[in-house]
Amino acid sequence: MTAVAGGDMPEFMMDTKIQGRAAHVAAIRERAEAEMKAMGVDEAFIDRLVETFYGRVLQHPTLGPVFDARLSGRWPEHMQKMKSFWSSVAFRSGAYGGKPVQAHSGVANMSPDLFPQWLALFSATLTDIAPNPEAKAWFVVTAERIARSLTLSLFYNPALDDPGRKLA
Protein backbone atom coordinates (compact mmCIF):
# COMPACT_ATOMS: atom_id res chain seq x y z
CA MET A 1 0.00 0.00 0.00
CA THR A 2 1.00 3.56 -0.61
CA ALA A 3 0.41 6.29 1.92
CA VAL A 4 -1.98 9.02 0.81
CA ALA A 5 -3.83 11.79 2.60
CA GLY A 6 -6.46 10.21 4.76
CA GLY A 7 -5.03 6.70 4.62
CA ASP A 8 -3.37 4.16 2.38
CA MET A 9 -4.24 3.67 -1.27
CA PRO A 10 -4.10 0.10 -2.50
CA GLU A 11 -1.81 -0.52 -5.48
CA PHE A 12 -4.75 -1.48 -7.72
CA MET A 13 -6.29 1.96 -7.12
CA MET A 14 -3.03 3.66 -8.07
CA ASP A 15 -2.87 1.54 -11.22
CA THR A 16 -6.44 2.54 -12.07
CA LYS A 17 -5.60 6.21 -11.52
CA ILE A 18 -2.55 5.93 -13.81
CA GLN A 19 -4.58 4.11 -16.45
CA GLY A 20 -7.28 6.79 -16.22
CA ARG A 21 -4.67 9.50 -16.74
CA ALA A 22 -3.23 7.67 -19.75
CA ALA A 23 -6.70 7.31 -21.26
CA HIS A 24 -7.35 11.02 -20.66
CA VAL A 25 -4.08 12.00 -22.40
CA ALA A 26 -4.87 9.64 -25.29
CA ALA A 27 -8.33 11.20 -25.66
CA ILE A 28 -6.81 14.70 -25.78
CA ARG A 29 -4.40 13.57 -28.51
CA GLU A 30 -7.18 11.90 -30.49
CA ARG A 31 -9.32 15.07 -30.36
CA ALA A 32 -6.37 17.22 -31.42
CA GLU A 33 -5.52 14.86 -34.29
CA ALA A 34 -9.16 14.89 -35.45
CA GLU A 35 -9.29 18.71 -35.22
CA MET A 36 -6.08 19.07 -37.23
CA LYS A 37 -7.20 16.50 -39.82
CA ALA A 38 -10.50 18.38 -40.26
CA MET A 39 -8.47 21.52 -41.01
CA GLY A 40 -6.18 19.71 -43.45
CA VAL A 41 -3.18 19.88 -41.12
CA ASP A 42 -0.78 16.95 -41.07
CA GLU A 43 2.95 16.44 -40.42
CA ALA A 44 3.74 17.39 -44.02
CA PHE A 45 2.02 20.75 -43.49
CA ILE A 46 3.94 21.33 -40.25
CA ASP A 47 7.21 20.64 -42.10
CA ARG A 48 6.24 23.01 -44.92
CA LEU A 49 5.17 25.72 -42.46
CA VAL A 50 8.43 25.58 -40.52
CA GLU A 51 10.62 25.42 -43.64
CA THR A 52 8.77 28.27 -45.38
CA PHE A 53 8.52 30.49 -42.32
CA TYR A 54 12.15 30.21 -41.24
CA GLY A 55 13.29 30.68 -44.83
CA ARG A 56 11.44 34.00 -44.70
CA VAL A 57 12.84 34.79 -41.24
CA LEU A 58 16.36 34.55 -42.66
CA GLN A 59 15.43 37.03 -45.40
CA HIS A 60 13.74 39.46 -42.98
CA PRO A 61 15.81 42.63 -42.43
CA THR A 62 15.23 42.74 -38.66
CA LEU A 63 14.51 39.15 -37.65
CA GLY A 64 17.08 37.49 -39.89
CA PRO A 65 20.19 38.90 -38.22
CA VAL A 66 18.91 38.12 -34.71
CA PHE A 67 18.01 34.53 -35.57
CA ASP A 68 21.10 33.88 -37.65
CA ALA A 69 23.45 35.25 -34.99
CA ARG A 70 21.94 32.84 -32.46
CA LEU A 71 21.58 29.82 -34.75
CA SER A 72 24.56 30.12 -37.09
CA GLY A 73 25.77 26.61 -37.84
CA ARG A 74 22.82 25.09 -36.00
CA TRP A 75 19.94 25.76 -38.38
CA PRO A 76 19.21 22.09 -39.19
CA GLU A 77 18.87 21.27 -35.49
CA HIS A 78 16.67 24.31 -34.94
CA MET A 79 14.42 23.37 -37.83
CA GLN A 80 13.94 19.86 -36.43
CA LYS A 81 13.22 21.31 -33.00
CA MET A 82 10.63 23.71 -34.43
CA LYS A 83 8.94 20.92 -36.39
CA SER A 84 8.80 18.86 -33.20
CA PHE A 85 7.49 21.88 -31.28
CA TRP A 86 4.68 22.72 -33.72
CA SER A 87 3.75 19.07 -34.14
CA SER A 88 3.55 18.70 -30.38
CA VAL A 89 1.41 21.83 -30.08
CA ALA A 90 -0.93 20.93 -32.94
CA PHE A 91 -1.33 17.24 -32.23
CA ARG A 92 -0.86 17.37 -28.43
CA SER A 93 1.72 14.63 -28.88
CA GLY A 94 4.09 15.60 -26.10
CA ALA A 95 6.98 15.13 -28.56
CA TYR A 96 8.63 18.45 -27.75
CA GLY A 97 10.69 18.52 -24.59
CA GLY A 98 12.47 21.86 -24.94
CA LYS A 99 12.37 24.92 -22.72
CA PRO A 100 11.38 27.90 -24.89
CA VAL A 101 11.89 30.60 -22.27
CA GLN A 102 15.42 29.44 -21.49
CA ALA A 103 16.18 29.04 -25.20
CA HIS A 104 15.23 32.67 -25.83
CA SER A 105 16.88 34.13 -22.70
CA GLY A 106 20.03 36.06 -23.39
CA VAL A 107 19.61 36.17 -27.16
CA ALA A 108 21.59 39.15 -28.43
CA ASN A 109 19.36 41.97 -29.71
CA MET A 110 16.17 40.19 -28.58
CA SER A 111 13.53 42.79 -27.73
CA PRO A 112 9.77 42.84 -27.23
CA ASP A 113 9.24 44.70 -30.52
CA LEU A 114 10.51 41.67 -32.47
CA PHE A 115 7.49 39.58 -31.49
CA PRO A 116 4.92 41.58 -33.51
CA GLN A 117 7.24 41.35 -36.52
CA TRP A 118 7.60 37.59 -35.99
CA LEU A 119 3.82 37.24 -35.71
CA ALA A 120 3.19 39.33 -38.84
CA LEU A 121 5.63 37.19 -40.84
CA PHE A 122 4.12 33.99 -39.42
CA SER A 123 0.62 35.18 -40.34
CA ALA A 124 1.72 36.15 -43.86
CA THR A 125 3.32 32.73 -44.29
CA LEU A 126 0.08 31.07 -43.22
CA THR A 127 -1.89 33.27 -45.62
CA ASP A 128 0.25 31.84 -48.40
CA ILE A 129 0.34 28.16 -47.42
CA ALA A 130 -2.39 27.24 -44.92
CA PRO A 131 -4.88 24.72 -46.31
CA ASN A 132 -7.80 26.95 -45.28
CA PRO A 133 -8.75 29.99 -43.15
CA GLU A 134 -9.55 27.79 -40.12
CA ALA A 135 -6.04 26.34 -40.09
CA LYS A 136 -4.52 29.80 -40.46
CA ALA A 137 -6.65 31.13 -37.60
CA TRP A 138 -5.72 28.24 -35.32
CA PHE A 139 -1.99 28.67 -35.89
CA VAL A 140 -2.11 32.47 -35.60
CA VAL A 141 -4.07 32.40 -32.32
CA THR A 142 -1.71 29.76 -30.96
CA ALA A 143 1.37 31.74 -32.03
CA GLU A 144 -0.06 34.91 -30.46
CA ARG A 145 -0.57 33.07 -27.16
CA ILE A 146 3.00 31.72 -27.29
CA ALA A 147 4.42 35.15 -28.15
CA ARG A 148 2.53 36.75 -25.24
CA SER A 149 3.84 34.12 -22.88
CA LEU A 150 7.43 34.51 -24.09
CA THR A 151 7.23 38.30 -23.99
CA LEU A 152 5.98 38.26 -20.42
CA SER A 153 8.53 35.67 -19.35
CA LEU A 154 11.46 37.44 -20.98
CA PHE A 155 10.67 41.12 -20.54
CA TYR A 156 7.99 41.71 -17.90
CA ASN A 157 9.14 43.49 -14.77
CA PRO A 158 6.48 43.32 -12.03
CA ALA A 159 8.13 46.21 -10.20
CA LEU A 160 7.05 48.50 -13.04
CA ASP A 161 3.41 47.70 -12.22
CA ASP A 162 3.81 48.50 -8.52
CA PRO A 163 1.09 51.05 -7.70
CA GLY A 164 3.27 52.44 -4.91
CA ARG A 165 6.12 53.16 -7.31
CA LYS A 166 6.71 56.85 -7.87
CA LEU A 167 7.30 58.01 -11.43
CA ALA A 168 10.36 60.25 -11.74
Side-chain angles (χ1 to χ4, degrees), residues 160 164-168:
L160 297 177
R165 182 174 165 262
K166 302 277 189 223
L167 294 176

Side-chain angles (χ1 to χ4, degrees), residues 136-146 148:
K136 177 189 176 184
W138 188 93
F139 278 90
V140 167
V141 166
T142 302
E144 288 170 344
R145 187 179 68 245
I146 292 164
R148 261 192 315 278

Side-chain angles (χ1 to χ4, degrees), residues 5-86:
D8 291 331
M9 180 184 290
E11 292 294 327
F12 78 88
M13 288 180 72
M14 281 184 46
D15 290 345
T16 302
K17 189 173 183 179
I18 291 169
Q19 290 168 351
R21 172 80 176 130
H24 177 70
V25 169
I28 289 170
R29 286 182 184 157
E30 286 174 18
R31 279 194 304 273
E33 288 171 5
E35 179 183 11
M36 291 298 116
K37 184 177 182 181
M39 288 189 286
V41 173
D42 56 13
E43 291 294 342
F45 172 74
I46 300 286
D47 287 355
R48 183 173 177 221
L49 174 61
V50 170
E51 293 285 342
T52 305
F53 174 66
Y54 282 101
R56 292 176 180 189
V57 164
L58 277 171
Q59 300 302 315
H60 192 276
T62 308
L63 298 172
V66 174
F67 275 80
D68 202 36
R70 177 68 169 201
L71 298 169
S72 183
R74 299 183 304 118
W75 274 101
E77 295 89 351
H78 181 70
M79 298 299 281
Q80 280 309 117
K81 189 178 283 189
M82 291 301 91
K83 290 173 184 180
S84 175
F85 172 78
W86 281 106

